[in-house]
Amino acid sequence: MNVNQSAPPVPPFGQPQPVYPGYHQSSYGGQPGSTAPATPYGAYNGPVPGYQQTPPAGVSRAPSSSGAPPASIAQAPCGQGAYGQFGQGDVQNGPSSTVQMQRIPGSQPFGSAPLAPVVSQPTVLQPYGPPPTSAQVTAQLAGMQINSAVAPPVPPPSGLGYGTPSSLASASGSFPNSGLYGSYPQGQAPPLSQAQGHSGAQPPQRSAPPQASTFPPPASGVPRMPSMTGPPLPGQGFGGSSVSQPNHVSSPSPQALHPGTQMGGLPGAPPPMHSSQQPGYQLQQNGSFGPARGPQPNYGSPYPAAPTFGSQPGPPQALPPKRLDPDAIPSPQLNELPPQQKTRHRIDPDAIPSPIQVIEDDRNNRGSEPFVTGVRGQVPPLVTTNFLVKDQGNASPRYIRCTSYNIPCTSDMAKQAQVPLAAVIKPLARLPPEEALPYVVDHGESGPLRCNRCKAYMCPFMQFIEGGRRFQCCFCSCINDVPPQYFQHLDHTGRRVDAYDRPELSLGSYEFLATVDYCKNNKFPSPPAFIFMIDVSYNAIRSGLVRLLCEELKSLLDFLPREGRPEESAIRVGFVTYNKVLHFYNVKSSLAQPQMMVVSDVADMFVPLLDGFLVNVSESRAVITSLLDQIPEMFADTRETETVFAPVIQAGMEALKAAECAGKLFLFHTSLPIAEAPGKLKNRDDRKLINTDKEKTLFQPQTGAYQSLAKDCVAQGCCVDLFLFPNQYVDVATLSVVPQLTGGSVYKYTCFQVENDQERFLSDLRRDVQKVVGFDAVMRVRTSTGIRAVDFFGAFYMSNTTDVELAGLDGDKTVTVEFKHDDRLNEENGALLQCALLYTSCAGQRRLRIHNLALNCCTQLADLYRNCETDTLINYMAKFAYRGVLNSPVKSVRDTLITQCAQILACYRKNCASPSSAGQLILPECMKLLPVYLNCVLKSDVLQPGAEVTTDDRAYVRQLVTSMDVAETNVFFYPRLLPLTKSPIESTTEPPAVRASEERLSNGDIYLLENGLNLFLWVGASVQQGVVQSLFNVSSFSQIPSGLSILPVLDNPLSKKVQGLIDSLRAQRPRYMKLIVVKQEDKLEILFKHFLVEDKSLNGGASYVDFLCHMHKEIRQLLS
């Protein structure tokens, strides 16, 4: 190849490619990937749900709550006491002013007052031009601070776009002196709502200042703006009907306030202001808010043709009539309130940042284009967005997501910002079918090429020098020789001419076949084995579990995971049953009937047979079927209630050790192991310990025996998956130790009944048995000079400070890694991460999977805050807190989270936001959802349990969250609430979600709520009779059975649509979600309301509005 000719074009890596000499191409797991990509928690499959094209008929929302939630808000002083002091949504409004404001008559022309400069983020002045449309005027005025009654506030462009900070200020009465003044008609106050959300995506500028959301103080009693009827809703210009409102129904156009505007509609008179400064507006680049996710590649610079400010708008228009509706959330007007209430107000929930809006905007702005990973430090689309990834040198966000993609250059800067630097890594993540699995590279006997000093693997960031004869390591800068068989010439840019022919030189993720040096005892591994260990005590037999399981295993064994396209799986299987003693089964193919061997000496466990215990399914099919038929009959009359537990795991591990292979134990267990044996437990459940210093003992294992057992299992490559069927306390905190440390999973079916729970159990079991697993794995994360991995969270074992050891690792598990500085980084080189996972595949092949990611480094805090990912940050903070409860009182863990969040936001306010009144809460654009999500973590069962939450439930959720990925934690902490009758029946897309609050429920509608583990169907009391008939096949609401868990399958469009939606939600989640139908005003409604996380919780958790006030108070204390 001519050295001067241009490098060959990058092949489309999303498509099957020619297999290059020296590599064979194999699909990981050999099966088509799951149709659900591993990242998004919105609609993983199918078209992205768009906005509703037309407002649904029959329901309208009063002005106060219409429009999408803005990022511009009324805020309370929050200086008075604890944040739970007032009623839900009520916030003390400061001392009421005794001086009655002199109001200028409402007929005064718009804008005739003197105008002062803006207090907001950097602005761009435009030349004067033709008179603007009213929509343009909106864009102009966005970002102005309006502090007294002269110039009216003007709405921002509709949308959560990219641009100025939005600011939320406290109503403490001390408003800044500089600002715009406007006149209002006496006594009218605008509602607190504001439209927000771009439907047409306007890309951010590369040079944009860090975006923020600022929320202004409520101007008590600020009247309604005379001249405009309201902001454009997403996808709508002024005056048009609302085209697309993601989470609200149609309503009269509200008045909107721009970022940096005082919010009106709150009782109490504004304090007098005296200031008149030079006229003229400073124009915003763009006054809208949105998930401005930092500079993005492939976008042009500033917005085309920012509108100019030419003439005044026309005369005032009549205000729209009020229409009432169960969904409406009116804010009380000044003259409607009794005298004693005039000093208090409630913040309009629509005026604070909405997770639904941010998710919807990201889908619209970033869901249509593939995410190309060629550029360093790009922030990927949100996990809720359905997008395709094109690997061009950095690992896909399905494999690695970071809390920030631009990390501080120095440790001092990192300490100042307090933003944790962490990566959530999912090494074996499943990909959607449209994306190619990592290429398998075979370097023959020499094995993969590595740096001699730091042992990093060859990757696209390595620099070849001296004509290609040597390379410089990008991690430690060591110069290495290139082996003769790997040599290739360089082109005129210094790249190897074969760079695009070699996955390890052009892709972010790929696999190497490992040589024998990477294997235990220097010999290649045998294929792994699965051992099914079934509790046959009285509880298991009586509940019907044993019969159900044995029946299912007959067919399930045909679906063991396999690699490539072989006829059958290489995995061997074995069977054990147990109560107080263990029964092993010989199912050798030459036997006519299975043979049973009993081991009653559980203190000294051994495996009584080698030959015939682990067998090939197809060879021993007849004997296995005979055994599975006999087990339920053999123990049908058992009276044995006691069980053992640790000896069962010990037996499985010894069996794998004798067979010299790795594998997985599937344990089906029902009760606390109280029989005399190693690992015997006692009932230590004690609710009196909650909220005391001893509460942490509830999360710790009772005995150290299980940790040492887990250590032995990891050494053998024995992973444990535990299926629990408790009727009472079983000490999940102790029983889950071995699954947790071996990389396994725990499933829990409390009070299991075949008729109610079989679908959920069998679905989880099928998925668990069939999923592709890497066995006997070791993972190491290497970093370039300047940072290092210091802390790890997840389901694994560590015997040293660098190697994450996993007896098993599947495509649902993540390992979260925290990094700290050990030297200065520089902006030019950035920072690099390389995750290397060595594992045995299902076919017994030893492999190395490599993921590489390059991040930017910054010397300005603004760059850090512009490139953060809140979902990943919350994933890390939840895991950090959930580990903290093992060693600290729960209250101190909660306080630590709140303090850290306040420090992050205070640092932004102090160093990145434009100067403004201390009464304003200013949030970075990328982090404006941090308070709402953090509040959800604080209110979760682990950190703030309600009376109905058991100790076992808390331990179960704690270990579950530890290895969740970002998509799972997002929907787990902030559940999705989908209205079912608002979107057209023929629509195949998911209906747009609404915010998780009781205020969003209309009693004439039906809603689905899901959080990844639970699925509720809430039915309003006044839902139409036809809808009840179509879904439940009964004639009225009162006839719907309470607690129904299966909907009847009916032949009508609504029933088919709801069944289809439920199926699609279940397909997106790693665990089967059991449906519970909840009727309004029913006793089960308390359980449902627990998941409406924006509201106050029964166990004392703050509402979103109250928590925002509390955060604001904390930030102001830090700043003062």
Side-chain angles (χ1 to χ4, degrees):
M1 183 183 263
N2 181 347
V3 176
N4 294 320
Q5 85 184 56
S6 63
V10 185
F13 284 113
Q15 301 162 8
Q17 297 178 31
V19 180
Y20 298 110
Y23 324 102
H24 74 272
Q25 194 175 344
S26 156
S27 70
Y28 178 61
Q31 294 158 310
S34 152
T35 51
T39 49
Y41 37 74
Y44 288 40
N45 317 320
V48 179
Y51 285 114
Q52 264 170 231
Q53 287 310 302
T54 50
V59 194
S60 67
R61 207 185 268 282
S64 61
S65 64
S66 56
S72 160
I73 310 192
Q75 178 59 330
C78 314
Q80 304 96 340
Y83 65 93
Q85 180 182 343
F86 303 110
Q88 181 174 335
D90 278 331
V91 194
Q92 184 70 33
N93 196 18
S96 60
S97 167
T98 49
V99 184
Q100 182 57 40
M101 277 273 305
Q102 191 77 36
R103 289 255 169 78
I104 300 163
S107 60
Q108 181 162 337
F110 171 89
S112 60
L115 302 165
V118 179
V119 185
S120 189
Q121 297 301 19
T123 56
V124 176
L125 287 166
Q126 305 281 342
Y128 287 90
T133 61
S134 53
Q136 284 176 315
V137 176
T138 355
Q140 311 287 344
L141 292 177
M144 296 181 184
Q145 176 93 27
I146 302 192
N147 290 320
S148 179
V150 189
V154 182
S158 68
L160 228 118
Y162 302 87
T164 59
S166 16
S167 81
L168 161 32
S170 126
S172 55
S174 58
F175 300 133
N177 238 357
S178 59
L180 279 168
Y181 299 85
S183 63
Y184 299 97
Q186 180 115 15
Q188 286 179 340
L192 285 158
S193 61
Q194 169 182 351
Q196 174 193 25
H198 266 308
S199 54
Q202 286 176 311
Q205 303 90 299
R206 274 177 184 280
S207 58
Q211 281 89 1
S213 303
T214 28
F215 308 105
S220 326
V222 171
R224 236 176 241 287
M225 192 168 72
S227 60
M228 299 205 182
T229 50
L233 289 162
Q236 168 203 357
F238 261 87
S241 68
S242 110
V243 178
S244 47
Q245 293 172 266
N247 67 339
H248 306 301
V249 288
S250 68
S251 61
S253 316
Q255 262 60 22
L257 302 170
H258 48 59
T261 310
Q262 279 171 219
M263 306 303 294
L266 309 172
M273 295 303 232
H274 315 283
S275 168
S276 73
Q277 293 166 19
Q278 81 277 16
Y281 309 125
Q282 285 178 292
L283 302 180
Q284 262 335 93
Q285 283 166 304
N286 162 16
S288 57
F289 316 59
R293 307 172 56 67
Q296 302 300 338
N298 313 327
Y299 282 132
S301 52
Y303 293 88
T308 54
F309 201 76
S311 66
Q312 302 297 344
Q317 298 169 3
L319 290 167
K322 257 193 186 174
R323 287 184 284 168
L324 291 175
D325 172 76
D327 283 345
I329 314 166
S331 12
Q333 301 296 332
L334 187 64
N335 50 7
E336 294 169 2
L337 289 172
Q340 72 277 17
Q341 277 190 303
K342 289 194 179 178
T343 53
R344 303 186 47 175
H345 74 275
R346 51 170 304 179
I347 293 171
D348 177 12
D350 277 336
I352 49 184
S354 156
I356 304 302
Q357 191 64 50
V358 171
I359 288 168
E360 197 66 50
D361 289 327
D362 192 75
R363 281 182 183 164
N364 292 332
N365 296 341
R366 306 197 63 189
S368 52
E369 292 294 309
F371 178 67
V372 180
T373 70
V375 181
R376 180 176 85 186
Q378 285 181 96
V379 182
L382 296 179
V383 282
T384 36
T385 299
N386 193 13
F387 61 99
L388 277 182
V389 180
K390 286 200 172 150
D391 185 340
Q392 290 190 1
N394 283 293
S396 159
R398 305 194 203 290
Y399 294 123
I400 306 182
R401 278 190 177 261
C402 295
T403 52
S404 178
Y405 288 79
N406 202 331
I407 60 180
C409 281
T410 64
S411 59
D412 291 346
M413 192 172 151
K415 282 191 190 108
Q416 188 182 357
Q418 286 287 316
V419 176
L421 305 177
V424 179
I425 305 175
K426 196 173 182 184
L428 299 181
R430 284 190 298 278
L431 301 180
E434 310 85 75
E435 291 177 24
L437 293 162
Y439 286 84
V440 180
V441 180
D442 185 358
H443 281 314
E445 290 188 10
S446 58
L449 188 55
R450 305 175 71 176
C451 168
N452 292 330
R453 184 196 290 162
C454 70
K455 300 295 182 212
Y457 293 87
M458 179 53 66
C459 71
F461 311 123
M462 298 288 191
Q463 190 66 45
F464 286 87
I465 52 176
E466 296 178 26
R469 286 186 292 279
R470 308 177 92 184
F471 70 92
Q472 181 167 21
C473 176
C474 51
F475 293 92
C476 68
S477 306
C478 174
I479 308 281
N480 298 271
D481 290 330
V482 173
Q485 74 273 16
Y486 198 77
F487 173 78
Q488 185 55 274
H489 295 285
L490 308 184
D491 65 13
H492 61 287
T493 65
R495 280 196 76 135
R496 284 171 56 119
V497 295
D498 66 348
Y500 291 116
D501 297 338
R502 289 188 175 272
E504 74 274 22
L505 299 181
S506 56
L507 296 177
S509 301
Y510 41 87
E511 291 199 324
F512 291 119
L513 282 188
T515 57
V516 75
D517 308 336
Y518 291 87
C519 303
K520 258 189 201 157
N521 309 326
N522 277 4
K523 66 181 221 186
F524 284 112
S526 310
F530 284 179
I531 304 178
F532 296 91
M533 317 191 87
I534 305 166
D535 175 348
V536 288
S537 64
Y538 175 72
N539 282 341
I541 296 291
R542 190 195 59 181
S543 67
L545 167 67
V546 174
R547 190 173 295 280
L548 178 71
L549 174 60
C550 290
E551 203 52 47
E552 176 63 24
L553 284 178
K554 289 182 204 170
S555 53
L556 188 53
L557 295 177
D558 291 331
F559 297 97
L560 299 177
R562 59 199 71 190
E563 199 112 276
R565 288 274 172 270
E567 287 300 305
E568 58 186 51
S569 173
I571 293 174
R572 292 171 295 162
V573 298
F575 301 88
V576 172
T577 56
Y578 68 93
N579 38 46
K580 267 199 332 198
V581 296
L582 277 75
H583 323 106
F584 292 79
Y585 297 93
N586 183 345
V587 283
K588 199 171 175 179
S589 56
S590 56
L591 295 174
Q593 284 293 321
Q595 294 174 345
M596 170 169 147
M597 300 184 183
V598 181
V599 177
S600 50
D601 183 4
V602 288
D604 183 17
M605 186 43 65
F606 68 98
V607 181
L609 76 163
L610 290 179
D611 189 30
F613 179 63
L614 294 178
V615 296
N616 176 295
V617 174
S618 58
E619 287 173 11
S620 297
R621 157 82 53 209
V623 192
I624 291 173
T625 305
S626 171
L627 171 67
L628 294 172
D629 283 336
Q630 289 176 39
I631 287 174
E633 306 307 328
M634 256 190 299
F635 299 98
D637 301 325
T638 184
R639 286 285 169 265
E640 185 55 75
T641 54
E642 293 188 359
T643 56
V644 295
F645 187 74
V648 185
I649 296 175
Q650 177 86 29
M653 184 195 67
E654 297 290 349
L656 294 176
K657 191 185 261 179
E660 295 184 346
C661 69
K664 188 185 264 197
L665 312 181
F666 295 85
L667 244 86
F668 304 90
H669 189 81
T670 60
S671 57
L672 192 69
I674 54 171
E676 268 320 314
K680 173 186 174 179
L681 301 179
K682 59 178 190 291
N683 186 337
R684 53 161 188 166
D685 190 15
D686 185 359
R687 294 191 62 84
K688 290 198 288 292
L689 298 181
I690 292 176
N691 295 327
T692 69
D693 284 352
K694 288 188 176 173
E695 184 173 4
K696 60 190 177 202
T697 58
L698 297 175
F699 295 110
Q700 296 165 352
Q702 265 190 55
T703 154
Y706 287 95
Q707 265 115 330
S708 54
L709 179 58
K711 183 180 171 184
D712 295 341
C713 285
V714 172
Q716 184 47 48
C718 168
C719 172
V720 179
D721 279 359
L722 176 60
F723 292 79
L724 283 171
F725 305 86
N727 290 335
Q728 52 202 29
Y729 177 75
V730 288
D731 200 349
V732 173
T734 306
L735 298 189
S736 65
V737 166
V738 178
Q740 177 79 6
L741 292 178
T742 59
S745 307
V746 179
Y747 299 86
K748 180 165 162 284
Y749 310 88
T750 308
C751 300
F752 178 82
Q753 291 176 309
V754 170
E755 57 278 11
N756 291 338
D757 302 295
Q758 83 172 42
E759 197 179 351
R760 179 175 155 227
F761 164 55
L762 294 181
S763 177
D764 285 342
L765 176 63
R766 286 167 194 152
R767 188 178 172 126
D768 197 57
V769 169
Q770 294 173 38
K771 64 186 171 191
V772 171
V773 184
F775 293 98
D776 212 358
V778 181
M779 184 180 116
R780 182 176 283 195
V781 178
R782 294 180 174 83
T783 53
S784 53
T785 312
I787 53 170
R788 64 196 168 90
V790 292
D791 207 353
F792 300 84
F793 304 82
F796 52 76
Y797 177 76
M798 291 187 81
S799 55
N800 57 34
T801 55
T802 54
D803 293 335
V804 173
E805 297 174 45
L806 301 126
L809 175 67
D810 60 54
D812 298 322
K813 298 282 190 308
T814 62
V815 176
T816 302
V817 186
E818 187 185 3
F819 303 98
K820 288 260 164 70
H821 288 74
D822 57 7
D823 203 348
R824 194 186 168 84
L825 296 162
N826 78 44
E827 282 184 282
E828 190 185 339
N829 296 343
L832 300 175
L833 316 177
Q834 184 179 80
C835 161
L837 177 79
L838 173 66
Y839 70 99
T840 302
S841 74
C842 295
Q845 197 175 50
R846 202 72 175 144
R847 291 190 183 170
L848 282 149
R849 181 169 288 202
I850 312 295
H851 298 297
N852 303 289
L853 185 63
L855 302 174
N856 286 330
C857 297
C858 57
T859 52
Q860 301 296 317
L861 283 166
D863 291 327
L864 165 69
Y865 283 101
R866 197 183 291 126
N867 291 281
C868 287
E869 235 233 338
T870 301
D871 293 325
T872 312
L873 204 54
I874 288 294
N875 180 284
Y876 165 83
M877 291 171 108
K879 290 173 180 177
F880 181 81
Y882 280 19
R883 186 177 67 184
V885 298
L886 289 172
N887 306 307
S888 311
V890 171
K891 184 183 184 308
S892 68
V893 172
R894 291 164 49 80
D895 293 345
T896 304
L897 279 183
I898 293 172
T899 306
Q900 181 171 18
C901 181
Q903 285 173 329
I904 291 171
L905 298 176
C907 174
Y908 173 81
R909 173 64 193 264
K910 184 178 173 188
N911 299 290
C912 308
S914 304
S916 57
S917 141
Q920 284 183 313
L921 171 58
I922 301 183
L923 302 172
E925 189 54 49
C926 288
M927 288 189 184
K928 66 182 179 191
L929 299 181
L930 190 59
V932 62
Y933 285 163
L934 184 75
N935 189 36
C936 296
V937 174
L938 294 170
K939 287 159 68 168
S940 64
D941 291 340
V942 173
L943 298 182
Q944 194 163 29
E948 75 294 342
V949 180
T950 66
T951 308
D952 273 347
D953 286 335
R954 295 177 76 196
Y956 174 64
V957 168
R958 195 195 75 78
Q959 61 82 31
L960 209 55
V961 168
T962 309
S963 49
M964 274 186 183
D965 71 8
V966 180
E968 288 171 77
T969 51
N970 176 283
V971 77
F972 178 74
F973 289 115
Y974 191 96
R976 275 204 298 175
L977 184 60
L978 306 171
L980 297 186
T981 56
K982 297 241 168 86
S983 56
I985 284 191
E986 59 281 0
S987 160
T988 53
T989 55
E990 261 175 35
V994 296
R995 294 169 68 167
S997 165
E998 194 174 350
E999 292 180 317
R1000 308 285 162 177
L1001 299 176
S1002 153
N1003 57 11
D1005 204 351
I1006 291 182
Y1007 296 82
L1008 260 183
L1009 181 142
E1010 64 119 353
N1011 74 342
L1013 297 180
N1014 308 88
L1015 189 60
F1016 292 95
L1017 186 74
W1018 184 88
V1019 186
S1022 47
V1023 72
Q1024 290 173 1
Q1025 192 179 340
V1027 171
V1028 172
Q1029 186 71 49
S1030 298
L1031 270 186
F1032 301 101
N1033 206 21
V1034 295
S1035 55
S1036 70
F1037 173 80
S1038 59
Q1039 291 176 315
I1040 301 171
S1042 173
L1044 191 68
S1045 62
I1046 296 173
L1047 290 180
V1049 179
L1050 304 172
D1051 188 13
N1052 65 68
L1054 181 63
S1055 178
K1056 286 177 180 168
K1057 178 183 172 175
V1058 173
Q1059 297 275 8
L1061 180 60
I1062 289 172
D1063 291 343
S1064 114
L1065 293 178
R1066 284 172 173 161
Q1068 292 168 27
R1069 306 289 171 221
R1071 291 172 183 241
Y1072 182 90
M1073 298 183 289
K1074 178 181 167 184
L1075 180 72
I1076 300 176
V1077 174
V1078 176
K1079 294 162 67 178
Q1080 187 175 4
E1081 311 289 321
D1082 191 63
K1083 59 183 185 299
L1084 280 173
E1085 205 180 24
I1086 289 182
L1087 186 60
F1088 171 78
K1089 285 181 179 174
H1090 177 70
F1091 296 98
L1092 300 177
V1093 289
E1094 288 198 20
D1095 300 337
K1096 259 204 179 86
S1097 63
L1098 290 171
N1099 42 350
S1103 70
Y1104 175 18
V1105 169
D1106 288 348
F1107 184 69
L1108 205 57
C1109 298
H1110 181 67
M1111 280 314 304
H1112 188 199
K1113 186 180 84 176
E1114 295 278 328
I1115 292 165
R1116 289 175 69 180
Q1117 281 176 351
L1118 287 171
L1119 291 174
S1120 60

